[in-house]
Amino acid sequence: MVTNFHVIQGASGATVQLADGRKYQAALVGVSPQHDLALLRIGVGLRRPRPVPLGTSADLKVGQKVFAIGNPFGLDWTFTTGIISALNRTLPSESGPDIQQLIQTDAAINPGNSGGRCWTQAGVSSGSTRRSTVPRERRPGSVSLFRSTPSGA
């Protein structure tokens, strides 16, 4: 499972809940702080969820419709929609190197959405959501971002 590095950073453990309500303890497989990504593994036994088709940044176009699913403000399974506003953005990190290869969208991504998924109309997961960490005084209005798998990865 892919989530954001800043979601699990410093955590002593993680629990993953599937859409059917099943909960699993997750093991950390790897991280990429410069891309704000983390990979978790869960053991689901015989009742495995269907794999999600994954897209890459090469598949995305400015103006393309996207959907974000997450848990903003602790509200489970929230769904928002928007378009791709820009590709290949870089933003400063709160701690560490700049976060690179971000995709900007006007879909509402709020605190608690981080680690959720963005989807295309074709049902392909196009990335992991993250809220902008740029100080409010440096970003007028709403800036929502997500991280897609880079082209060729």
Side-chain angles (χ1 to χ4, degrees):
M1 307 198 80
V2 178
T3 190
N4 293 107
F5 173 70
H6 78 269
V7 170
I8 57 95
Q9 184 178 17
S12 60
T15 302
V16 172
Q17 182 176 350
L18 302 180
D20 64 9
R22 292 182 289 163
K23 294 182 182 180
Y24 297 93
Q25 291 301 308
L28 182 62
V29 175
V31 300
S32 178
Q34 69 271 24
H35 296 109
D36 191 31
L37 291 176
L39 184 62
L40 304 174
R41 178 180 305 144
I42 60 172
V44 295
L46 298 175
R47 292 183 46 209
R48 294 176 183 256
R50 271 189 328 200
V52 173
L54 298 176
T56 70
S57 58
D59 301 327
L60 302 174
K61 306 284 185 245
V62 172
Q64 181 176 0
K65 192 168 202 156
V66 290
F67 308 99
I69 300 173
N71 300 321
F73 308 110
L75 303 170
D76 292 348
W77 310 110
T78 300
F79 179 93
T80 61
T81 185
I83 62 164
I84 304 262
S85 304
L87 301 167
N88 202 23
R89 296 287 200 203
T90 299
L91 287 178
S93 171
E94 291 177 351
S95 59
D98 288 352
I99 300 169
Q100 302 173 1
Q101 297 176 322
L102 294 167
I103 290 92
Q104 183 179 343
T105 179
D106 68 349
I109 298 175
N110 296 296
N113 266 109
S114 292
R117 307 303 301 161
C118 269
W119 303 85
T120 66
Q121 282 184 293
V124 173
S125 176
S126 55
S128 182
T129 61
R130 99 177 300 287
R131 188 175 60 89
S132 172
T133 57
V134 175
R136 184 159 299 284
E137 63 273 7
R138 289 186 44 213
R139 58 175 167 93
S142 173
V143 177
S144 298
L145 303 157
F146 66 94
R147 175 75 172 84
S148 180
T149 305
S151 300

PDB file of all heavy atoms in Angstrom, residues 2-20:
ATOM      1  N   VAL A   2       0.508   2.221  -0.768  1.00  0.00           N
ATOM      2  CA  VAL A   2       1.263   3.468  -0.850  1.00  0.00           C
ATOM      3  C   VAL A   2       0.555   4.529  -0.018  1.00  0.00           C
ATOM      4  O   VAL A   2      -0.662   4.673  -0.091  1.00  0.00           O
ATOM      5  CB  VAL A   2       1.394   3.943  -2.309  1.00  0.00           C
ATOM      6  CG1 VAL A   2       2.141   5.266  -2.378  1.00  0.00           C
ATOM      7  CG2 VAL A   2       2.097   2.890  -3.155  1.00  0.00           C
ATOM      8  N   THR A   3       1.331   5.266   0.780  1.00  0.00           N
ATOM      9  CA  THR A   3       0.818   6.392   1.531  1.00  0.00           C
ATOM     10  C   THR A   3       1.873   7.492   1.486  1.00  0.00           C
ATOM     11  O   THR A   3       2.860   7.375   0.773  1.00  0.00           O
ATOM     12  CB  THR A   3       0.440   5.992   2.981  1.00  0.00           C
ATOM     13  OG1 THR A   3      -0.267   7.077   3.589  1.00  0.00           O
ATOM     14  CG2 THR A   3       1.662   5.625   3.797  1.00  0.00           C
ATOM     15  N   ASN A   4       1.672   8.550   2.248  1.00  0.00           N
ATOM     16  CA  ASN A   4       2.654   9.630   2.302  1.00  0.00           C
ATOM     17  C   ASN A   4       3.646   9.388   3.430  1.00  0.00           C
ATOM     18  O   ASN A   4       3.261   8.930   4.510  1.00  0.00           O
ATOM     19  CB  ASN A   4       1.980  10.992   2.522  1.00  0.00           C
ATOM     20  CG  ASN A   4       1.141  11.388   1.334  1.00  0.00           C
ATOM     21  OD1 ASN A   4      -0.070  11.351   1.393  1.00  0.00           O
ATOM     22  ND2 ASN A   4       1.793  11.750   0.250  1.00  0.00           N
ATOM     23  N   PHE A   5       4.905   9.718   3.188  1.00  0.00           N
ATOM     24  CA  PHE A   5       5.941   9.591   4.212  1.00  0.00           C
ATOM     25  C   PHE A   5       5.594  10.411   5.441  1.00  0.00           C
ATOM     26  O   PHE A   5       5.740   9.944   6.573  1.00  0.00           O
ATOM     27  CB  PHE A   5       7.303  10.018   3.631  1.00  0.00           C
ATOM     28  CG  PHE A   5       8.388  10.076   4.656  1.00  0.00           C
ATOM     29  CD1 PHE A   5       8.888   8.919   5.237  1.00  0.00           C
ATOM     30  CD2 PHE A   5       8.910  11.288   5.045  1.00  0.00           C
ATOM     31  CE1 PHE A   5       9.891   8.972   6.194  1.00  0.00           C
ATOM     32  CE2 PHE A   5       9.913  11.360   6.005  1.00  0.00           C
ATOM     33  CZ  PHE A   5      10.408  10.195   6.579  1.00  0.00           C
ATOM     34  N   HIS A   6       5.091  11.645   5.244  1.00  0.00           N
ATOM     35  CA  HIS A   6       4.810  12.486   6.409  1.00  0.00           C
ATOM     36  C   HIS A   6       3.672  11.932   7.269  1.00  0.00           C
ATOM     37  O   HIS A   6       3.539  12.285   8.431  1.00  0.00           O
ATOM     38  CB  HIS A   6       4.538  13.948   5.997  1.00  0.00           C
ATOM     39  CG  HIS A   6       3.180  14.209   5.438  1.00  0.00           C
ATOM     40  ND1 HIS A   6       2.903  14.138   4.093  1.00  0.00           N
ATOM     41  CD2 HIS A   6       2.025  14.537   6.041  1.00  0.00           C
ATOM     42  CE1 HIS A   6       1.625  14.423   3.892  1.00  0.00           C
ATOM     43  NE2 HIS A   6       1.065  14.666   5.061  1.00  0.00           N
ATOM     44  N   VAL A   7       2.850  11.030   6.712  1.00  0.00           N
ATOM     45  CA  VAL A   7       1.769  10.412   7.483  1.00  0.00           C
ATOM     46  C   VAL A   7       2.333   9.403   8.481  1.00  0.00           C
ATOM     47  O   VAL A   7       1.858   9.311   9.609  1.00  0.00           O
ATOM     48  CB  VAL A   7       0.750   9.733   6.542  1.00  0.00           C
ATOM     49  CG1 VAL A   7      -0.248   8.875   7.309  1.00  0.00           C
ATOM     50  CG2 VAL A   7       0.021  10.780   5.714  1.00  0.00           C
ATOM     51  N   ILE A   8       3.362   8.648   8.098  1.00  0.00           N
ATOM     52  CA  ILE A   8       3.904   7.595   8.970  1.00  0.00           C
ATOM     53  C   ILE A   8       5.204   8.001   9.657  1.00  0.00           C
ATOM     54  O   ILE A   8       5.682   7.283  10.530  1.00  0.00           O
ATOM     55  CB  ILE A   8       4.092   6.276   8.193  1.00  0.00           C
ATOM     56  CG1 ILE A   8       5.013   6.447   6.969  1.00  0.00           C
ATOM     57  CG2 ILE A   8       2.749   5.736   7.722  1.00  0.00           C
ATOM     58  CD1 ILE A   8       6.420   6.096   7.258  1.00  0.00           C
ATOM     59  N   GLN A   9       5.774   9.141   9.282  1.00  0.00           N
ATOM     60  CA  GLN A   9       7.052   9.570   9.844  1.00  0.00           C
ATOM     61  C   GLN A   9       6.981   9.630  11.371  1.00  0.00           C
ATOM     62  O   GLN A   9       6.103  10.266  11.937  1.00  0.00           O
ATOM     63  CB  GLN A   9       7.437  10.940   9.287  1.00  0.00           C
ATOM     64  CG  GLN A   9       8.793  11.415   9.735  1.00  0.00           C
ATOM     65  CD  GLN A   9       9.152  12.760   9.105  1.00  0.00           C
ATOM     66  OE1 GLN A   9       8.292  13.474   8.588  1.00  0.00           O
ATOM     67  NE2 GLN A   9      10.419  13.100   9.150  1.00  0.00           N
ATOM     68  N   GLY A  10       7.886   8.933  12.028  1.00  0.00           N
ATOM     69  CA  GLY A  10       7.948   8.931  13.484  1.00  0.00           C
ATOM     70  C   GLY A  10       6.941   8.025  14.164  1.00  0.00           C
ATOM     71  O   GLY A  10       6.938   7.915  15.388  1.00  0.00           O
ATOM     72  N   ALA A  11       6.078   7.358  13.401  1.00  0.00           N
ATOM     73  CA  ALA A  11       5.067   6.478  13.994  1.00  0.00           C
ATOM     74  C   ALA A  11       5.711   5.174  14.455  1.00  0.00           C
ATOM     75  O   ALA A  11       6.655   4.673  13.833  1.00  0.00           O
ATOM     76  CB  ALA A  11       3.965   6.180  12.985  1.00  0.00           C
ATOM     77  N   SER A  12       5.197   4.605  15.529  1.00  0.00           N
ATOM     78  CA  SER A  12       5.702   3.316  16.010  1.00  0.00           C
ATOM     79  C   SER A  12       4.953   2.155  15.361  1.00  0.00           C
ATOM     80  O   SER A  12       5.352   1.006  15.494  1.00  0.00           O
ATOM     81  CB  SER A  12       5.592   3.239  17.533  1.00  0.00           C
ATOM     82  OG  SER A  12       4.245   3.382  17.925  1.00  0.00           O
ATOM     83  N   GLY A  13       3.862   2.434  14.672  1.00  0.00           N
ATOM     84  CA  GLY A  13       3.083   1.414  13.987  1.00  0.00           C
ATOM     85  C   GLY A  13       2.012   2.060  13.135  1.00  0.00           C
ATOM     86  O   GLY A  13       1.769   3.264  13.230  1.00  0.00           O
ATOM     87  N   ALA A  14       1.376   1.259  12.287  1.00  0.00           N
ATOM     88  CA  ALA A  14       0.313   1.772  11.421  1.00  0.00           C
ATOM     89  C   ALA A  14      -0.764   0.702  11.269  1.00  0.00           C
ATOM     90  O   ALA A  14      -0.462  -0.486  11.200  1.00  0.00           O
ATOM     91  CB  ALA A  14       0.865   2.155  10.060  1.00  0.00           C
ATOM     92  N   THR A  15      -2.007   1.146  11.207  1.00  0.00           N
ATOM     93  CA  THR A  15      -3.137   0.267  10.963  1.00  0.00           C
ATOM     94  C   THR A  15      -3.792   0.697   9.658  1.00  0.00           C
ATOM     95  O   THR A  15      -4.018   1.885   9.433  1.00  0.00           O
ATOM     96  CB  THR A  15      -4.167   0.360  12.110  1.00  0.00           C
ATOM     97  OG1 THR A  15      -3.516   0.020  13.335  1.00  0.00           O
ATOM     98  CG2 THR A  15      -5.338  -0.573  11.868  1.00  0.00           C
ATOM     99  N   VAL A  16      -4.087  -0.264   8.809  1.00  0.00           N
ATOM    100  CA  VAL A  16      -4.738  -0.008   7.525  1.00  0.00           C
ATOM    101  C   VAL A  16      -6.147  -0.571   7.593  1.00  0.00           C
ATOM    102  O   VAL A  16      -6.346  -1.715   8.007  1.00  0.00           O
ATOM    103  CB  VAL A  16      -3.953  -0.668   6.372  1.00  0.00           C
ATOM    104  CG1 VAL A  16      -4.724  -0.581   5.065  1.00  0.00           C
ATOM    105  CG2 VAL A  16      -2.582  -0.046   6.233  1.00  0.00           C
ATOM    106  N   GLN A  17      -7.138   0.247   7.199  1.00  0.00           N
ATOM    107  CA  GLN A  17      -8.522  -0.217   7.130  1.00  0.00           C
ATOM    108  C   GLN A  17      -8.950  -0.272   5.680  1.00  0.00           C
ATOM    109  O   GLN A  17      -8.840   0.708   4.941  1.00  0.00           O
ATOM    110  CB  GLN A  17      -9.457   0.704   7.907  1.00  0.00           C
ATOM    111  CG  GLN A  17     -10.890   0.218   7.879  1.00  0.00           C
ATOM    112  CD  GLN A  17     -11.824   1.056   8.734  1.00  0.00           C
ATOM    113  OE1 GLN A  17     -11.384   1.894   9.501  1.00  0.00           O
ATOM    114  NE2 GLN A  17     -13.115   0.831   8.582  1.00  0.00           N
ATOM    115  N   LEU A  18      -9.466  -1.420   5.264  1.00  0.00           N
ATOM    116  CA  LEU A  18      -9.957  -1.603   3.912  1.00  0.00           C
ATOM    117  C   LEU A  18     -11.397  -1.121   3.810  1.00  0.00           C
ATOM    118  O   LEU A  18     -12.071  -0.907   4.822  1.00  0.00           O
ATOM    119  CB  LEU A  18      -9.865  -3.074   3.506  1.00  0.00           C
ATOM    120  CG  LEU A  18      -8.468  -3.703   3.567  1.00  0.00           C
ATOM    121  CD1 LEU A  18      -8.530  -5.163   3.137  1.00  0.00           C
ATOM    122  CD2 LEU A  18      -7.481  -2.927   2.720  1.00  0.00           C
ATOM    123  N   ALA A  19     -11.886  -0.964   2.592  1.00  0.00           N
ATOM    124  CA  ALA A  19     -13.239  -0.456   2.349  1.00  0.00           C
ATOM    125  C   ALA A  19     -14.304  -1.339   2.989  1.00  0.00           C
ATOM    126  O   ALA A  19     -15.360  -0.850   3.374  1.00  0.00           O
ATOM    127  CB  ALA A  19     -13.495  -0.326   0.847  1.00  0.00           C
ATOM    128  N   ASP A  20     -14.028  -2.638   3.146  1.00  0.00           N
ATOM    129  CA  ASP A  20     -15.015  -3.537   3.756  1.00  0.00           C
ATOM    130  C   ASP A  20     -14.950  -3.530   5.282  1.00  0.00           C
ATOM    131  O   ASP A  20     -15.645  -4.303   5.941  1.00  0.00           O
ATOM    132  CB  ASP A  20     -14.859  -4.960   3.207  1.00  0.00           C
ATOM    133  CG  ASP A  20     -13.519  -5.594   3.561  1.00  0.00           C
ATOM    134  OD1 ASP A  20     -12.749  -5.030   4.368  1.00  0.00           O
ATOM    135  OD2 ASP A  20     -13.225  -6.678   3.012  1.00  0.00           O
TER     136      ASP A  20
END
